[in-house]
Amino acid sequence: MSWHTHAIFYELYLRAFADGNGDGHGDFIGLRDKLDYLEWLGVDCIWLLPMYPSPLKDDGYDIASYYGIHPDYGLLEDFKMTVDAIHERGIKIIADLVINHTSDQHPWFQESRRSKTSPMRDWYVWSPTDERYQDVRIIFVDTETSNWAYDETTGEYYWHRFYSSQPDLNFDNPKVREEVLRIMKFWLDLGIDGFRADAVPYLFEREGTNCENLPETHDYLKQMRRFIDTHYPNAILLAEANQWPRDVVDYFGDGDEFHLCFHFPVMPRLYMALAKADRTSVVDILADTPPIPKGTQWGTFLRNHDELTLEMVTEEERQFMWAYYSPDPKQRINLGIRRRLAPLMGGDRRKIELMHSMLFTLPGAPVLYYGDEIGMGDNIALFDRNGVRTPMQWSGAPNAGFSSAKDLYAPVIDDATFGYQRVNVAAQRNDPTSLLHTVRHMIMTRKALPVLADGDLDWLHDLPKHALCFWRTSGEQRVLALHNLADAPLEIALPDGAAFSDALDATATVDSSVTLSAYGYRWLQTRT
Ligand code: GLC
C-alpha cells in the first residue's frame, strides 16, 4: 500500500500559521512549535504553499528564485530542520512546485527581456504580435484582458496564463525542462516527500488549440515522474489540473504520470447538493469520472487558498452557486467565491460537519485547509484571495496567539461570529464537543477504516434525493455512509441481511432503520 492513497493532507500557508520570531509573519520556527498540534490532529502529510523568494504579487506563486527561502520564513537551514522535525513525528511534507511561470522579477526573465538576442530570450514565450493562441481562455478574468503583455524594452509581447507579472516559461526549450528536474532534485535532496505541482495543464503552447492538456505537456510530466521513480521512489506528485474529469484522468497516465490529482469538479457539487438538498450533481459527476489506474488517488477538498472555483460547472450552476453562496458581489472573484467553509455554511455546525463527513467518506484522499478544522472565518475587505489566508486562530490571546508583533501581515478575524475570541484552537481542544474534536475524530476513524480510502463506491439509489448514501466496499470490509442534505429528519431503512455498528459512536445502537437528524450523518460498519 503506497502511503499517498490512504493519506490525509493538510494544506498549510506558512505566513498564516505561526510567527516564531515576532515579525508579524508566520515562519518555520513557528511551524516547528505547532507540530504537536498537527500530530495530535492526525494528518499524514503537509502541503506547504510556496516558500520561495518572491515579490509576492501572487502570494509566492510568483517565484523569484527556485533555490531559496523567502526571508520572511527563515533560512534554508530552518527549512531543513523543519522537514526533519516533521519527519520525526511520522508526518510527511510536500512543497508547491510552480513551474508554468516565474515572477517577472526572476533573474531569468530579467535577462530574457533585456534583448531579442539574450541567451535566455528563449526561456520565455515571446511574440512580435499578440495575435497568437487566440483560442486560449483567460483565468484571472477580473484583472487580465489578454494572455499577452507588451514589453517596451524590445517591443515584443510575452505570454502569461496568470497575472502579467507571471511570465510563462517556455517548455519547448530543453534547458527549461532540464532546469525543472534540477529544481525537483534540489528540494527532494533536502528530504521532502514530493510536490503539489501548480497549474500543470498549461506548460506548452500550440497554435490552433486551447493550449491546455497538450500531448507535449503530458510527455514532459511523464518525464518528471520517471525522474522521481528513478531517484526518489517514495516521493509523490499531486497535480493541480482544474479540468473536467475526462481530461484530468489523463494526468494519471497509465499510472506513470501523477500519483494524485485534485478532483476539482466534485468540490462545488458538494456545496450544490447541500444547497439544493439533492445528491444528483454529486452522483452524476462521479458517474462521469473514469476509473483511475491502480495505485493512484484523487485529492479531494472542500476549500483551499484560492477562490472556491466555479470553472468546472455549467453557466446555470455557476449562477446558482453565486446567488446562493455569495449574495454580496464582493464575495466573488474571477469565476469563483472568495469565502471560507464555515461562513459559506452560515456558521451552521451541522452543515460544516456534514460537508466534512462527505469529504472523509467519498473516494479520494482528503486535503484539509488550515483553519477549517476549527471553523475559521474570512475577511472580504482584504485584497484578492487574501481574505481566506488570515492568521491561524490559536487562542483568545491578542493576535489570536499567532504572533507577538504589533503589526501582522494581515489582521486576525475578529468579527462577532468567527472572531478569534470565540473560534480558536485552545478553546476547542478543551471542549470535547467542539468542531475540532469532531473533525479529529473523523480523521482517526477514517484512518482506522482503510476501505474509505480504497473501497469501491455504490450508491443507494432508492432513497429520496436529499439522501446522499453509499457503500464503500473493499473485500470483507464494508461501510455504509449516510448523509441527510435536508433540514428535516430522514428515516432510512437499512439493507436487509447486514448487522451494523456505528463507526463514529461506539455507544450507539443500530436497528433495522436509522433516523438521521436534519443535516445528520452516520458511518455504519458491517459486523462480520
Ligand atoms: C494556482 C494557485 C494559485 C495561483 C495560480 C498561479 O492556481 O493555486 O494560488 O494564483 O496557480 O500560480
Side-chain angles (χ1 to χ4, degrees), residues 203-222:
L203 300 186
F204 283 79
E205 297 76 32
R206 289 292 177 266
E207 201 56 75
T209 74
N210 68 356
C211 296
E212 302 191 6
N213 314 322
L214 296 180
E216 292 84 350
T217 295
H218 283 292
D219 284 349
Y220 182 65
L221 294 170
K222 287 195 173 74

Side-chain angles (χ1 to χ4, degrees), residues 380-400:
I380 54 165
L382 300 179
F383 175 67
D384 198 336
R385 292 149 289 168
N386 294 351
V388 300
R389 303 175 184 177
T390 60
M392 180 70 175
Q393 294 169 199
W394 292 105
S395 72
N399 289 341

Side-chain angles (χ1 to χ4, degrees), residues 58 61 98 101 140 162-163 166 196 198-199 240 305-306 385 389:
D58 184 15
Y61 282 93
V98 189
H101 46 268
F140 287 164
F162 297 93
Y163 287 125
Q166 292 165 298
R196 175 266 192 190
D198 185 71
E240 187 213 22
H305 65 292
D306 288 325
R385 292 149 289 168
R389 303 175 184 177

Side-chain angles (χ1 to χ4, degrees), residues 17-260:
F17 206 58
D19 174 10
N21 69 354
D23 68 353
H25 299 262
D27 47 38
F28 284 116
I29 304 176
L31 170 56
R32 287 205 292 279
D33 275 354
K34 298 299 183 186
L35 291 178
D36 275 349
Y37 170 71
L38 293 177
E39 187 179 10
W40 173 82
L41 186 59
V43 299
D44 300 302
C45 183
I46 295 168
W47 154 28
L48 192 67
L49 294 194
M51 68 291 173
Y52 314 94
S54 161
L56 306 178
K57 297 272 173 53
D58 184 15
D59 229 349
Y61 282 93
D62 47 331
I63 295 178
S65 165
Y66 285 96
Y67 299 100
I69 293 292
H70 192 287
D72 289 343
Y73 294 148
L75 304 170
L76 203 52
E77 196 50 35
D78 286 304
F79 176 82
K80 176 73 183 133
M81 278 168 66
T82 309
V83 171
D84 293 346
I86 289 169
H87 284 161
E88 273 161 29
R89 289 163 196 264
I91 304 177
K92 296 188 185 288
I93 172 169
I94 61 172
D96 226 298
L97 184 68
V98 189
I99 56 174
N100 177 66
H101 46 268
T102 69
S103 160
D104 60 2
Q105 305 302 307
H106 196 295
W108 301 340
F109 187 71
Q110 296 291 314
E111 171 57 39
S112 181
R113 81 182 337 174
R114 209 169 44 82
S115 85
K116 288 186 196 170
T117 56
S118 156
M120 297 200 88
R121 186 65 167 179
D122 204 23
W123 279 55
Y124 293 84
V125 182
W126 291 97
S127 164
T129 83
D130 59 358
E131 301 288 299
R132 294 164 72 198
Y133 314 137
Q134 287 301 308
D135 301 332
V136 178
R137 69 184 167 124
I138 291 168
I139 296 171
F140 287 164
V141 286
D142 285 357
T143 343
E144 301 295 335
T145 51
S146 167
N147 287 316
W148 291 108
Y150 183 69
D151 194 41
E152 281 185 358
T153 326
T154 54
E156 286 199 329
Y157 297 85
Y158 62 86
W159 180 248
H160 62 90
R161 290 307 303 271
F162 297 93
Y163 287 125
S164 58
S165 54
Q166 292 165 298
D168 273 36
L169 283 164
N170 175 19
F171 274 81
D172 276 316
N173 181 344
K175 294 207 178 101
V176 169
R177 300 200 298 269
E178 275 161 37
E179 185 69 28
V180 168
L181 300 185
R182 208 168 297 132
I183 295 166
M184 290 168 66
K185 177 174 176 359
F186 179 82
W187 293 101
L188 289 163
D189 284 345
L190 288 170
I192 64 167
D193 302 287
F195 298 99
R196 175 266 192 190
D198 185 71
V200 288
Y202 320 123
L203 300 186
F204 283 79
E205 297 76 32
R206 289 292 177 266
E207 201 56 75
T209 74
N210 68 356
C211 296
E212 302 191 6
N213 314 322
L214 296 180
E216 292 84 350
T217 295
H218 283 292
D219 284 349
Y220 182 65
L221 294 170
K222 287 195 173 74
Q223 192 186 336
M224 280 170 48
R225 171 63 182 267
R226 279 196 301 276
F227 178 78
I228 293 249
D229 282 353
T230 308
H231 302 288
Y232 309 92
N234 292 321
I236 59 138
L237 292 171
L238 159 61
E240 187 213 22
N242 190 350
Q243 302 285 331
W244 290 97
R246 62 178 173 278
D247 295 321
V248 188
V249 288
D250 291 343
Y251 289 85
F252 291 112
D254 295 321
D256 57 356
E257 209 168 309
F258 280 88
H259 300 79
L260 299 115

